[in-house]
Amino acid sequence: MKIEATGPRGRSSPAGKSGTRKEWKLSRSLEEQIAVCAREDAARGIYMGARFLRLRRAEVETAAPDRAALEKAIDTQNQRALREVREADQRWLRLLSGGRYQVKGQSSGEGSAIHVLDENGDEILTYTAGVGWQKKASRAENQVHSTLKAVYFDAYRTARKELLAARGGLEAEA
């Protein structure tokens, strides 16, 4: 049985079609938007203002797997599997896993957990009875965060230097 879920938000990636996922890339347009945000923030003396944070959040969403669809698909499969096989953890996991995502169960120690890994082997979701679903950033999301913050930092630093030069090198209190 395969988990049917979408890939990154807005892009359909049925189970078994892992090649359909587009990889995030920094566009020239986005880089320019970041530079505008950085210049505006530098003029106000604010590092990473609300506009940039909204832009970054929206951009990271494009690289993020659709965890809500995964949670729903796994919950649905989980309910069906639990009705059929309550005592067989290994059989249950075979019913849940498939497609781009791998599901691993853990039933040792104090409790049990479900770990969902993406195609790179990164854990992107964990479920425990006491806590529920916990989301973990994938490598793709971390890369988008890092790239956007680096571009913003460079643009902000440049804008601050230009502002200081225009003021004659005097730093105004923010």
Side-chain angles (χ1 to χ4, degrees):
M1 187 175 299
K2 298 207 183 264
I3 297 172
E4 295 292 330
T6 58
R9 303 213 188 282
R11 296 186 197 108
S12 179
S13 298
K17 294 193 176 187
S18 59
T20 61
R21 182 177 181 177
K22 281 188 170 180
E23 197 171 305
W24 180 86
K25 291 186 181 180
L26 177 65
S27 69
R28 183 71 187 140
S29 170
L30 180 58
E31 194 171 349
E32 290 168 2
Q33 288 178 39
I34 293 169
V36 168
C37 290
R39 281 193 297 273
E40 289 172 358
D41 291 347
R44 288 187 304 235
I46 298 170
Y47 186 76
M48 289 193 187
R51 183 175 172 201
F52 170 73
L53 295 176
R54 282 191 306 274
L55 176 67
R56 186 180 76 177
R57 191 176 313 118
E59 199 62 29
V60 169
E61 282 291 317
T62 66
D66 190 350
R67 289 182 180 90
L70 283 169
E71 290 171 9
K72 183 178 179 182
I74 291 171
D75 285 343
T76 300
Q77 297 297 336
N78 186 13
Q79 290 170 4
R80 288 182 193 153
L82 286 176
R83 271 183 267 145
E84 297 172 8
V85 187
R86 294 192 189 277
E87 71 283 347
D89 282 346
Q90 289 304 315
R91 184 172 176 207
W92 177 65
L93 289 175
R94 282 194 304 271
L95 290 171
L96 289 176
S97 63
R100 293 178 26 185
Y101 302 98
Q102 182 180 9
V103 180
K104 291 186 177 181
Q106 173 188 334
S107 12
S108 60
E110 294 284 323
S112 60
I114 298 171
H115 304 278
V116 180
L117 300 109
D118 67 9
E119 64 271 345
N120 297 318
D122 295 329
E123 187 173 2
I124 59 170
L125 282 170
T126 301
Y127 181 83
T128 57
V131 177
W133 287 105
Q134 298 174 43
K135 299 171 184 163
K136 298 181 179 185
S138 67
R139 277 185 232 170
E141 290 169 281
N142 286 334
Q143 181 61 43
V144 172
H145 275 294
S146 295
T147 302
L148 294 176
K149 288 191 292 186
V151 170
Y152 180 94
F153 175 76
D154 290 340
Y156 182 89
R157 189 178 55 204
T158 300
R160 288 297 289 175
K161 284 180 184 176
E162 292 170 0
L163 285 170
L164 285 173
R167 293 178 187 156
L170 300 174
E171 177 68 40
E173 293 293 321

